[in-house]
Amino acid sequence: MGKTYVTVATFLVLVLVNVLIIVFMYGMNDIGVPRFLAGLRQTALFTTNNGINRSVIFNLSSFEGENGGTENTTLVTKVKDSIWEDIQRRRREMVENTCRKYPEKARLYDTRLYRHILVDEKHKVLFCTVPKAANSNWRRVFLVLRGRFQSVDEITTSVYNYKYTDLSSYTVDERKNMLQSYRKIMFSRHPFRRLLSAYIDKFVDDPEWNFVRRYTPKVLSANNMGPNISSPFTFEEFVVYLVKALPAAFDEHWSQLTRHCAPCLIHYDVIGTYETLDEDAKEVLNQINANVTFPSFAPHKTNTANVDVTDQYFGRLDDSQIKALYKQYAMDFEMFNYTLDQY
């Protein structure tokens, strides 16, 4: 018994040391919250291994592995869950505070909103799909949840070849009941990186003709250039178009998340981030008791998580262009605690 108390005490000391070191390194924010909790996505944003969040989980897991035992494993799990729940609570608070700060914008939403939200009745889950924020992998998960496949590894064709059940398929009363009783989940991503990923994916690496045909005239017109659909436009020219365009007309691949998922109108229980995808996805699947493993993360072909790729494109913009683009996504930046650092 004495050895157990020493082991548990040692574990708690290690956890406390981790927290104190991180607080010392990153300090407290303006409301007295350790930055590694309140601004986790910001801390992880420019690191390849999700930064501080991973270092805490890694140390807890190391302790569990070295000492073993059911009691230690249970304690480690509780500490991990407690840290994650606290992060979730603060993310929800940030969303609520931003909604209160901008009441007029808080009422805006995409008219296709219900089509963005996937439904899984068995697990009572509503999931707002966000293009360029692990959307394909989440669709793989939903194909397994609905019983179409036994595991995500079995899915070898495009996930967009399959039909999904979304919230628009239900009556008004059914939607109301689901929005009140189901677990609601959404994921965010840094607005600029998500935008760049969409641009490279749709217009550069393997241009999709329907996007090229639809947006080339608009981009060229915004730049006061003559219509010439055979002429590819640059990222700088695309930004000029976005700065002039109405957000309501944005394609879903670069739409504002405040409109796309309408978090001011739909109170999400879980707010994950692309920057902390591994941890958030694991916790989400545990919470809904889903017998599925989230697909292993592999950088998308656009690879905009790479700082060099981001610098390559945004380095071509001057300060006025970056500020103007930021203005279009300002509420997303504030609501999900992203910054203009590195830009």
Side-chain angles (χ1 to χ4, degrees):
M1 179 66 72
K3 183 177 180 180
T4 299
Y5 284 139
V6 172
T7 302
V8 173
T10 303
F11 169 74
L12 293 176
V13 169
L14 287 173
V15 172
L16 179 60
V17 169
N18 265 286
V19 173
L20 290 176
I21 289 174
I22 295 169
V23 171
F24 175 77
M25 291 173 62
Y26 291 92
M28 310 283 279
N29 68 8
D30 56 359
I31 59 173
V33 177
R35 292 189 187 280
F36 86 101
L37 290 177
L40 180 59
R41 63 177 60 80
Q42 177 182 335
T43 306
L45 195 55
F46 301 108
T47 57
T48 57
N49 61 351
N50 283 348
I52 297 305
N53 187 44
R54 279 193 186 277
S55 71
V56 174
I57 301 301
F58 173 79
N59 285 330
L60 296 182
S61 300
S62 297
F63 180 85
E64 179 183 9
E66 292 174 3
N67 294 275
T70 303
E71 185 173 351
N72 287 343
T73 300
T74 301
L75 186 55
V76 167
T77 300
K78 287 183 178 180
V79 172
K80 289 180 180 178
D81 291 345
S82 178
I83 292 174
W84 190 80
E85 288 293 348
D86 189 61
I87 292 170
Q88 285 299 310
R89 179 176 60 83
R90 297 184 188 282
R91 287 176 181 173
R92 290 193 297 268
E93 288 178 353
M94 185 164 292
V95 169
E96 292 170 2
N97 291 338
T98 306
C99 293
R100 284 195 294 268
K101 185 176 179 180
Y102 305 101
E104 293 184 0
K105 292 184 178 180
R107 295 193 294 268
L108 301 176
Y109 64 92
D110 192 320
T111 55
R112 301 159 294 183
L113 174 61
Y114 293 146
R115 296 179 184 176
H116 299 160
I117 300 176
L118 300 186
V119 179
D120 178 56
E121 294 187 17
K122 178 180 177 181
H123 297 87
K124 296 187 180 300
V125 169
L126 300 180
F127 186 91
C128 183
T129 57
V130 176
K132 319 314 298 179
N135 184 31
S136 295
N137 277 343
W138 279 112
R139 288 181 180 273
R140 290 184 175 90
V141 169
F142 267 78
L143 288 174
V144 174
L145 292 180
R146 63 190 274 193
R148 184 69 173 77
F149 295 93
Q150 294 300 309
S151 75
V152 295
D153 295 330
E154 296 179 9
I155 307 171
T156 57
T157 57
S158 172
V159 294
Y160 301 101
N161 291 336
Y162 302 93
K163 295 183 66 176
Y164 300 83
T165 303
D166 60 50
L167 204 54
S168 69
S169 305
Y170 296 87
T171 66
V172 173
D173 288 340
E174 288 173 331
R175 287 199 295 264
K176 182 178 180 180
N177 177 63
M178 289 178 173
L179 287 168
Q180 290 176 342
S181 60
Y182 279 29
R183 188 183 300 273
K184 298 170 288 295
I185 304 166
M186 70 166 290
F187 271 69
S188 69
R189 185 180 182 181
H190 191 286
F192 282 4
R193 295 208 168 190
R194 179 169 167 257
L195 166 64
L196 179 57
S197 180
Y199 170 77
I200 295 175
D201 187 34
K202 302 303 179 186
F203 302 110
V204 179
D205 278 356
D206 187 15
E208 294 188 20
W209 175 244
N210 61 324
F211 274 86
V212 173
R213 181 176 57 185
R214 189 188 322 161
Y215 286 100
T216 295
K218 297 179 181 180
V219 172
L220 296 181
S221 175
N223 286 271
N224 299 318
M225 301 165 65
N228 182 3
I229 202 166
S230 65
S231 174
F233 52 81
T234 65
F235 181 64
E236 303 96 298
E237 292 165 348
F238 185 53
V239 168
V240 170
Y241 159 71
L242 291 175
V243 167
K244 293 181 179 181
L246 294 174
F250 283 7
D251 182 83
E252 63 177 11
H253 289 82
W254 52 82
S255 60
Q256 300 165 329
L257 291 186
T258 45
R259 286 175 177 266
H260 185 87
C261 291
C264 292
L265 302 177
I266 297 176
H267 302 293
Y268 290 91
D269 304 290
V270 175
I271 301 172
T273 80
Y274 183 84
E275 293 75 26
T276 55
L277 178 61
D278 288 346
E279 289 78 15
D280 290 340
K282 182 178 180 180
E283 289 289 345
V284 165
L285 296 175
N286 284 339
Q287 283 194 0
I288 65 175
N289 297 314
N291 186 26
V292 56
T293 301
F294 194 80
S296 299
F297 175 77
H300 190 269
K301 63 182 180 180
T302 57
N303 199 24
T304 55
N306 185 309
V307 175
D308 292 337
V309 174
T310 304
D311 288 346
Q312 175 187 344
Y313 284 89
F314 277 87
R316 302 170 186 169
L317 306 179
D318 59 36
D319 288 344
S320 63
Q321 289 175 307
I322 290 177
K323 289 178 181 178
L325 186 61
Y326 169 84
K327 187 176 180 181
Q328 290 285 56
Y329 294 94
M331 194 168 176
D332 279 8
F333 272 91
E334 186 168 348
M335 180 174 287
F336 302 108
N337 197 30
Y338 291 112
T339 74
L340 276 177
D341 294 348
Q342 300 294 319
Y343 297 93

